[in-house]
Amino acid sequence: MKAIVTVVGKDTVGIIAKVCTYLAENQINILDISQTIMQELFTMVMLVDMTDAENILWYYLRNRQLNNLKFRRQEAIENYIVDFVCYEKKIILELDGGQHLEEQQIKHDQKRDKNLSNAGFKIIRIYNTDVFKNIEGVIEYILNNFS
């Protein structure tokens, strides 16, 4: 179990546990569920369980408040769930906590970023601490990446 937590992250394990609990409570056999439905369940749980940093940034992104750009949150792209995406500009915003500084997580993020880049997206990584301490700077940084 520890190896799984290290590779996918503690947040992901918690979300998977919630999805499994939902399946058990509703007497749904996991073998009867397609990958697409599992991804949708995973996304639904993540929408409810946004981090504090995600909630703060979402306040500035939602309803086309940022340069009239449409952002979606917790969107499934290329078998990944991204924090925020603007499809019209093909930009993904990823908020990173301290676990993203660990060696295994760095390797995982690099592979993920490469796959998403190959799909035509630009990935912007932002640290949670920057959202908490300097949201104006974060918004400016995001806008500078749209030019």
Side-chain angles (χ1 to χ4, degrees):
M1 178 68 167
K2 185 177 179 183
I4 293 171
V5 171
T6 303
V7 172
V8 298
K10 292 176 186 169
D11 293 339
T12 306
V13 171
I15 290 165
I16 292 169
K18 288 180 183 181
V19 168
C20 289
T21 300
Y22 173 84
L23 296 174
E25 287 172 354
N26 292 282
Q27 298 179 345
I28 299 170
N29 185 338
I30 196 164
L31 299 175
D32 295 335
I33 297 178
S34 70
Q35 182 178 357
T36 303
I37 293 172
M38 277 302 287
Q39 212 166 30
E40 287 174 15
L41 283 170
F42 191 78
T43 302
M44 286 178 357
V45 171
M46 289 185 76
L47 284 172
V48 173
D49 286 350
M50 288 178 66
T51 66
D52 290 341
E54 289 170 341
N55 276 315
I56 291 168
L57 185 56
W58 181 238
Y59 176 82
Y60 292 90
L61 299 177
R62 68 179 179 218
N63 299 324
R64 294 186 177 266
Q65 293 181 90
L66 190 65
N67 276 15
N68 202 33
L69 295 167
K70 171 77 173 163
F71 282 90
R72 293 175 183 253
R73 61 188 175 114
Q74 306 301 335
E75 192 77 4
I77 302 173
E78 295 290 317
N79 293 322
Y80 300 104
I81 305 292
V82 301
D83 292 333
F84 304 99
V85 62
C86 175
Y87 282 109
E88 46 192 305
K89 298 290 184 174
K90 303 276 287 187
I91 290 184
I92 292 171
L93 305 177
E94 284 294 313
L95 295 183
D96 293 341
Q99 74 274 16
H100 289 270
L101 298 173
E102 296 172 7
E103 187 177 338
Q104 279 190 307
Q105 188 63 45
I106 290 169
K107 289 177 184 176
H108 173 76
D109 289 345
Q110 288 171 340
K111 179 182 176 190
R112 184 178 194 266
D113 289 355
K114 181 180 178 186
N115 290 336
L116 291 167
S117 293
N118 289 341
F121 290 92
K122 178 177 182 179
I123 295 86
I124 300 172
R125 291 197 165 273
I126 302 163
Y127 287 107
N128 290 347
T129 53
D130 292 330
V131 172
F132 296 133
K133 294 181 179 181
N134 184 18
I135 189 63
E136 294 84 10
V138 167
I139 297 302
E140 184 178 331
Y141 177 69
I142 293 168
L143 287 172
N144 288 339
N145 277 280
F146 278 100
S147 49

